[in-house]
Amino acid sequence: MIGRAVGLALGTAADRLVPDPQHHHPVAWFGSWAAWLERHTWRDDRAAGALHVALCLAPLAALGLTAEAVGRRHPLARVATTALATWAVTGGASLAREGRVMADHLSAGDLASARARLGHLCGRLSDELDEPELARATLESVAENTADAVVAPLVWGALAGVPGLLLHRGINTLDAMVGHHNERYEHFGTAAARLDDAACWPAARITGALACLLAGERRSRAWQVMRRDAHDHPSPNGGWCESAFAGALGVQLGGRNVYPGGRVEHRGLLGDGPRPTAADLRAGVRLECRIQWAATALAAAALLAVPRKPAARRPRPFLGGPVAASTGQFPGLGRVSGIPAAGSAPWGRAGGAHESTPAPALLVLPRKSAARRPRAHRRGRMTPSGGRFPGMARACCTKAWPRPTWMTREAR
């Protein structure tokens, strides 16, 4: 667990320090694979959507299990693979960057650039949105994606390691691609949307709690707003994050949203303050950064608190008692020198020594014993015929050879 905790911390630091590549990002590779597979699996039913999700996630599961198996044998490999996976699936830095860019456009009054940039965060129609609505849409996206792209990877990374990191990012990406309420994905995207809701369920509550905890002087008010308004959101998870951000920043979120295709969604109002501005948006970005570091510390502390599993010990032979090589109790060890085998008479009686004589504690080193030739009976004869020991003489009494005089009764 120590290697996993260190890997999560290093991956979070890399997310803040190492910028995402503009091309050939691992998440983009997965998106291309999912888009290609969709052209062959799309059907207007939920079973086809479930099959699409399973086929898309299978390579991620195989890759994650392989990395985890390698990490069990090599601790440094566990740290490296966990850090790399955490950096690849975490989007805290890119989320903060988009929020700052939107705040700069709104502060400069460049609504055209802000409307064009909004598509990087959400899928709403932005042609008629004014500055408060653009700030609201951005702040809601920052709050919800703090749970999806920042806290949830840390939760699943702490619980399941590299497989958890990769599978959660795959599920969340599929939800962003096909989990929409429109004519094409209404049935096909149901499996991806439901699976994403289940995967993000714990992270949304943790995000809301951390937002309230880090709200400073508005801590108690943020907690009250979250508990009151979280269920007014159509999403089972989004309401916890957005209501906590609204209470922490002292603004009001929610309202009417228009999506492509003319679909209109009316959300409940979250919070009691005014509509957000560019300054509130910057404050929301700073809150998202604090939540990321707090969630990283919480995940690492939870992993370090897990007791380490003791290593398996090899059995040690009992030096003062019988150890028989034939029993297989201690493989590779020979019989104790001068000690009767297990089940025989106590020491001193079978060997003729006194009962108080201490048993020796010397072990004979394992060696390959040579085959012992059979000993002929003293009153028998040796015949060259075969039998139980092929190639060796047999002890018997026969008239084939004359008996020596010293063995006859007359000689006695």
Side-chain angles (χ1 to χ4, degrees), residues 210-255:
L210 290 177
C212 296
L213 184 64
L214 301 173
E217 297 178 355
R218 299 188 56 86
R219 185 182 299 113
S220 60
R221 183 56 184 166
W223 182 260
Q224 294 173 2
V225 170
M226 183 184 69
R227 294 188 60 186
R228 184 193 66 189
D229 299 339
H231 299 285
D232 293 337
H233 197 280
S235 170
N237 299 322
W240 295 88
C241 314
E242 296 180 17
S243 60
F245 268 68
L249 301 176
V251 298
Q252 187 179 71
L253 302 177

Side-chain angles (χ1 to χ4, degrees), residues 300-390:
L303 288 173
L304 294 177
V306 176
R308 297 181 61 183
K309 184 179 180 180
R313 281 187 165 186
R314 298 185 60 183
R316 299 179 60 185
F318 179 61
L319 299 181
V323 181
S326 60
T327 61
Q329 184 179 3
F330 301 103
L333 291 175
R335 189 182 302 272
V336 177
S337 175
I339 299 179
S344 62
W347 174 259
R349 296 181 181 178
H354 195 269
E355 294 185 8
S356 61
T357 304
L362 297 179
L363 293 178
V364 178
L365 295 178
R367 62 179 181 179
K368 183 177 181 182
S369 58
R372 303 178 65 180
R373 299 182 61 181
R375 300 177 59 183
H377 195 273
R378 294 184 59 183
R379 299 182 59 86
R381 302 288 183 88
M382 303 297 296
T383 63
S385 59
R388 186 176 181 184
F389 302 96

Side-chain angles (χ1 to χ4, degrees), residues 4 57-72 78 81-82 85 160-167:
R4 186 179 295 178
L57 297 180
L60 297 183
L63 180 61
L65 291 175
T66 302
E68 197 70 11
V70 173
R72 292 192 187 99
R78 176 188 289 270
T81 54
T82 304
V162 178
L165 289 166
L166 299 183
L167 287 176

